[in-house]
Amino acid sequence: MHHTTPLITTIVGGLVLAFLLGMLANRLRISPLVGYLLAGVLAGPFTPGFVADTDLAPELAELGVILLMFGVGLHFSLKDLMSVKSIAIPGAIAQIAVATLLGMALSWSMGWSLITGLVFGLCLSTASTVVLLRALEERQLIDSQRGQIAIGWLIVEDLVMVLTLVLLPAIAGMLEQGNASVSMLAWDLVLTIGKVVAFMVLMMVVGRRVVPWILAKSAATGSRELFTLAVLALALGIAFGAVEFFDVSFALGAFFAGMVLNESELSHRAAHDTLPLRDAFAVLFFVSVGMLFDPMILVQEPLAVLGALAIIVLGKSIAAYFLVTLFGHSRRTALTISASLAQIGEFAFILAGLGISLNLLSAEGRNLVLAAAILSIMLNPILFTLLERFLEKTETLDEQTMEEAIEEEKQIPVDLCNHALVVGYGRVGSLLGSRLIEAGVPIVVVENSRPRVEALREQGIKAVLGNAARADTMELARLDCARWLLLTIPNGYEAGEIVTAAREKRPNIEIIARAHYDDEVEYIMERGADRVVMGEREIANSMLNMLKLELETEPQPEQCPI
């Protein structure tokens, strides 16, 4: 096919194939990510039929990584990052070292040189940003302690890879020129660390003031388009500037851009406005990964592919498990982080490409990295499913309660009854909660955002961290003796599931929920809610009531004499 519009062709072809195969994967009860990857294989140059532009696809995917990391930064404060540094820094470095050594051992068995084995091992050592965050998001673990450790671990891995990308050319030059380049290698290391530190200081000192100010000014215009444009301009602009001026990765640049905005009251609105673009470009990331995969490597080097896959799925996971348990965390936390890191992604592809250009890695090595990456990404959702089933079968209820208590800072049931149980404390929930408190009604808030829960507790409001659909979370919030259950979360279908679980536990509790659409209202009512409030209807009713009041109190005009 002659591509007169390669950009449009790549986006349309990639998204259509991803949708079709993603729907098929979902129908087969496997992760849609597998469908997206297979869509990339079909759109790649190694399979017959439609071929997308292999140069444009990775750049489109990079946009997804930027927006995704910006969104994570919006929910990840500097306090969160510092709270996990004691495990994330030594854990990530040790795990990279283990995976690299295992990769070097595999390369040695295939007769490769030491430096080629080093590059190959490094490619197998770092996890994919997109895959890890998508897995945590699907299980609502972003704001949990497990999620914070995994994200902090990932940030450290990214920093190590940034250093590696800068140092590899110097190492290649040293191999060509001899020991004369050792001083250059040391200088490059100091310079790289200095640039990363300078970027972080700039964002923490200047960015914390400038970025929220820009967004506040754009929001004050009243134009939704200008606000969304400001969010995208800041996320993409800071990420590009980080690469251009500080040699920091796009992902890290976008992460810090989001993190400095985290303290602003506009952070939730910024996250909401970037969500559709983030999801669309994240899909293109998986499609672009699939396009790089040559299925023939599975036939030509099956044992080598299995060896590389074993290092990623088993070697890295086992190392991470022992490191996390060594720091005193629960088995559940250790297994979750192990499963999160049992894949490789963006930096592996970048590092393999640089290795090829510097003659430090062969084409065969790059194909092995790509094959192992594709297979590990496909296996990752399956690993999470197996992990959840394993924990359900092997843990007793007491063990689950104990481990969740350890992970959630030893939460204990609230000492309150006859209260209003408010699920979600965003814009609607906070307004409702403040009115209830003013009226003297005791409230307990259930939230899955750790920063919000901590802020509520500082204000003296009783709050439980967790998912309201889970029985143990609602036990902590004392659903058994609550007077009302008020669901303010924006997702109507998630609210319906919470209503179902609550009705089973408390058949007579009064439940009021929120919805956006008519089908959500019907869905929630069918599951047992007493009343469902839809914003548009309430606005219309309020305006009609105001209008009737004005018509009743307003004096009637005098009749003109005939």
Short mmCIF file of all heavy atoms in Angstrom, two decimals, residues 429-457:
data_model
loop_
_atom_site.label_atom_id
_atom_site.label_comp_id
_atom_site.label_asym_id
_atom_site.label_seq_id
_atom_site.Cartn_x
_atom_site.Cartn_y
_atom_site.Cartn_z
N GLY A 429 -17.95 14.58 46.77
CA GLY A 429 -17.84 14.01 48.11
C GLY A 429 -17.40 15.01 49.15
O GLY A 429 -17.91 15.01 50.28
N SER A 430 -16.47 15.90 48.79
CA SER A 430 -15.99 16.90 49.76
C SER A 430 -17.08 17.91 50.09
O SER A 430 -17.22 18.35 51.25
CB SER A 430 -14.75 17.61 49.22
OG SER A 430 -15.01 18.21 47.97
N LEU A 431 -17.87 18.32 49.07
CA LEU A 431 -18.98 19.24 49.33
C LEU A 431 -20.02 18.58 50.24
O LEU A 431 -20.50 19.19 51.20
CB LEU A 431 -19.64 19.67 48.02
CG LEU A 431 -18.85 20.65 47.15
CD1 LEU A 431 -19.51 20.80 45.79
CD2 LEU A 431 -18.76 22.02 47.84
N LEU A 432 -20.37 17.34 49.94
CA LEU A 432 -21.35 16.60 50.75
C LEU A 432 -20.83 16.42 52.18
O LEU A 432 -21.56 16.62 53.15
CB LEU A 432 -21.63 15.25 50.09
CG LEU A 432 -22.57 14.30 50.84
CD1 LEU A 432 -23.95 14.91 51.00
CD2 LEU A 432 -22.65 12.96 50.12
N GLY A 433 -19.56 16.02 52.28
CA GLY A 433 -18.99 15.79 53.60
C GLY A 433 -18.99 17.04 54.46
O GLY A 433 -19.31 16.99 55.65
N SER A 434 -18.62 18.18 53.89
CA SER A 434 -18.58 19.42 54.67
C SER A 434 -19.98 19.83 55.15
O SER A 434 -20.14 20.31 56.27
CB SER A 434 -17.96 20.54 53.83
OG SER A 434 -18.73 20.79 52.66
N ARG A 435 -21.01 19.60 54.29
CA ARG A 435 -22.38 19.92 54.70
C ARG A 435 -22.85 19.00 55.83
O ARG A 435 -23.54 19.45 56.76
CB ARG A 435 -23.32 19.79 53.50
CG ARG A 435 -23.07 20.79 52.40
CD ARG A 435 -23.48 22.20 52.83
NE ARG A 435 -23.24 23.16 51.78
CZ ARG A 435 -24.13 23.46 50.81
NH1 ARG A 435 -25.30 22.82 50.79
NH2 ARG A 435 -23.83 24.36 49.91
N LEU A 436 -22.51 17.73 55.74
CA LEU A 436 -22.89 16.79 56.79
C LEU A 436 -22.22 17.15 58.12
O LEU A 436 -22.85 17.08 59.18
CB LEU A 436 -22.51 15.36 56.38
CG LEU A 436 -23.33 14.73 55.25
CD1 LEU A 436 -22.70 13.41 54.81
CD2 LEU A 436 -24.78 14.49 55.70
N ILE A 437 -20.96 17.52 58.06
CA ILE A 437 -20.23 17.90 59.28
C ILE A 437 -20.85 19.15 59.89
O ILE A 437 -21.02 19.25 61.12
CB ILE A 437 -18.74 18.11 58.95
CG1 ILE A 437 -18.08 16.77 58.58
CG2 ILE A 437 -18.01 18.74 60.14
CD1 ILE A 437 -16.69 16.91 58.03
N GLU A 438 -21.22 20.13 59.03
CA GLU A 438 -21.87 21.34 59.52
C GLU A 438 -23.19 21.02 60.20
O GLU A 438 -23.59 21.68 61.17
CB GLU A 438 -22.11 22.32 58.35
CG GLU A 438 -20.84 22.97 57.83
CD GLU A 438 -21.11 23.78 56.57
OE1 GLU A 438 -22.30 23.94 56.21
OE2 GLU A 438 -20.14 24.28 55.96
N ALA A 439 -23.89 20.00 59.67
CA ALA A 439 -25.18 19.61 60.25
C ALA A 439 -25.02 18.73 61.47
O ALA A 439 -26.02 18.30 62.07
CB ALA A 439 -26.01 18.89 59.19
N GLY A 440 -23.79 18.41 61.84
CA GLY A 440 -23.55 17.59 63.03
C GLY A 440 -23.69 16.11 62.80
O GLY A 440 -23.81 15.34 63.76
N VAL A 441 -23.67 15.69 61.52
CA VAL A 441 -23.78 14.27 61.20
C VAL A 441 -22.38 13.65 61.17
O VAL A 441 -21.53 14.11 60.41
CB VAL A 441 -24.48 14.05 59.84
CG1 VAL A 441 -24.52 12.56 59.50
CG2 VAL A 441 -25.88 14.64 59.86
N PRO A 442 -22.09 12.62 61.95
CA PRO A 442 -20.76 11.98 61.89
C PRO A 442 -20.57 11.26 60.56
O PRO A 442 -21.51 10.63 60.05
CB PRO A 442 -20.78 11.00 63.06
CG PRO A 442 -22.23 10.72 63.30
CD PRO A 442 -22.98 11.98 62.93
N ILE A 443 -19.38 11.36 59.99
CA ILE A 443 -19.12 10.72 58.70
C ILE A 443 -17.85 9.87 58.77
O ILE A 443 -16.95 10.13 59.58
CB ILE A 443 -18.99 11.73 57.55
CG1 ILE A 443 -17.69 12.56 57.69
CG2 ILE A 443 -20.19 12.64 57.44
CD1 ILE A 443 -17.35 13.39 56.45
N VAL A 444 -17.82 8.85 57.93
CA VAL A 444 -16.62 8.06 57.67
C VAL A 444 -16.43 8.02 56.17
O VAL A 444 -17.37 7.71 55.42
CB VAL A 444 -16.75 6.62 58.22
CG1 VAL A 444 -15.53 5.78 57.81
CG2 VAL A 444 -16.89 6.64 59.74
N VAL A 445 -15.24 8.35 55.70
CA VAL A 445 -14.94 8.41 54.26
C VAL A 445 -14.15 7.18 53.85
O VAL A 445 -13.20 6.79 54.54
CB VAL A 445 -14.15 9.69 53.91
CG1 VAL A 445 -13.79 9.72 52.43
CG2 VAL A 445 -14.94 10.93 54.30
N VAL A 446 -14.54 6.58 52.72
CA VAL A 446 -13.77 5.49 52.12
C VAL A 446 -13.15 6.03 50.85
O VAL A 446 -13.86 6.50 49.95
CB VAL A 446 -14.66 4.27 51.81
CG1 VAL A 446 -13.84 3.20 51.09
CG2 VAL A 446 -15.26 3.71 53.08
N GLU A 447 -11.83 5.99 50.76
CA GLU A 447 -11.10 6.54 49.61
C GLU A 447 -9.97 5.58 49.23
O GLU A 447 -9.40 4.92 50.08
CB GLU A 447 -10.50 7.90 49.95
CG GLU A 447 -11.14 9.10 49.28
CD GLU A 447 -10.88 9.16 47.79
OE1 GLU A 447 -10.03 8.42 47.28
OE2 GLU A 447 -11.55 9.97 47.12
N ASN A 448 -9.67 5.50 47.90
CA ASN A 448 -8.53 4.68 47.47
C ASN A 448 -7.31 5.52 47.15
O ASN A 448 -6.33 5.03 46.61
CB ASN A 448 -8.90 3.80 46.28
CG ASN A 448 -9.39 4.61 45.09
OD1 ASN A 448 -9.22 5.83 45.05
ND2 ASN A 448 -10.01 3.95 44.14
N SER A 449 -7.36 6.82 47.48
CA SER A 449 -6.21 7.71 47.29
C SER A 449 -5.54 7.96 48.65
O SER A 449 -6.14 8.56 49.55
CB SER A 449 -6.66 9.04 46.68
OG SER A 449 -5.61 10.00 46.72
N ARG A 450 -4.32 7.48 48.78
CA ARG A 450 -3.61 7.64 50.05
C ARG A 450 -3.42 9.10 50.45
O ARG A 450 -3.65 9.46 51.62
CB ARG A 450 -2.25 6.93 49.96
CG ARG A 450 -1.44 6.96 51.26
CD ARG A 450 -0.14 6.20 51.10
NE ARG A 450 -0.39 4.79 50.94
CZ ARG A 450 -0.53 3.94 51.95
NH1 ARG A 450 -0.44 4.37 53.19
NH2 ARG A 450 -0.74 2.66 51.72
N PRO A 451 -3.01 10.00 49.53
CA PRO A 451 -2.85 11.41 49.94
C PRO A 451 -4.15 12.01 50.48
O PRO A 451 -4.12 12.77 51.46
CB PRO A 451 -2.41 12.10 48.64
CG PRO A 451 -1.76 11.03 47.84
CD PRO A 451 -2.52 9.80 48.15
N ARG A 452 -5.29 11.69 49.88
CA ARG A 452 -6.56 12.22 50.37
C ARG A 452 -6.89 11.69 51.76
O ARG A 452 -7.36 12.43 52.63
CB ARG A 452 -7.70 11.87 49.41
CG ARG A 452 -7.72 12.69 48.14
CD ARG A 452 -8.98 12.39 47.34
NE ARG A 452 -8.91 13.00 46.02
CZ ARG A 452 -9.83 12.84 45.09
NH1 ARG A 452 -10.89 12.09 45.33
NH2 ARG A 452 -9.71 13.42 43.91
N VAL A 453 -6.66 10.39 51.96
CA VAL A 453 -6.93 9.79 53.27
C VAL A 453 -6.06 10.44 54.34
O VAL A 453 -6.54 10.78 55.43
CB VAL A 453 -6.70 8.26 53.22
CG1 VAL A 453 -6.71 7.67 54.62
CG2 VAL A 453 -7.76 7.58 52.36
N GLU A 454 -4.79 10.65 54.03
CA GLU A 454 -3.90 11.28 55.01
C GLU A 454 -4.35 12.70 55.31
O GLU A 454 -4.32 13.14 56.47
CB GLU A 454 -2.46 11.28 54.48
CG GLU A 454 -1.84 9.88 54.42
CD GLU A 454 -0.46 9.88 53.79
OE1 GLU A 454 -0.07 10.93 53.24
OE2 GLU A 454 0.23 8.84 53.85
N ALA A 455 -4.78 13.43 54.26
CA ALA A 455 -5.25 14.80 54.47
C ALA A 455 -6.51 14.83 55.33
O ALA A 455 -6.66 15.70 56.21
CB ALA A 455 -5.52 15.47 53.12
N LEU A 456 -7.42 13.89 55.11
CA LEU A 456 -8.65 13.82 55.90
C LEU A 456 -8.35 13.52 57.36
O LEU A 456 -8.94 14.11 58.28
CB LEU A 456 -9.59 12.75 55.32
CG LEU A 456 -10.29 13.10 54.01
CD1 LEU A 456 -10.92 11.86 53.39
CD2 LEU A 456 -11.34 14.17 54.24
N ARG A 457 -7.42 12.58 57.58
CA ARG A 457 -7.07 12.22 58.96
C ARG A 457 -6.43 13.40 59.69
O ARG A 457 -6.64 13.60 60.89
CB ARG A 457 -6.15 11.01 58.96
CG ARG A 457 -6.85 9.71 58.55
CD ARG A 457 -5.87 8.57 58.36
NE ARG A 457 -6.56 7.33 58.02
CZ ARG A 457 -5.94 6.23 57.61
NH1 ARG A 457 -4.62 6.20 57.49
NH2 ARG A 457 -6.64 5.14 57.32
#
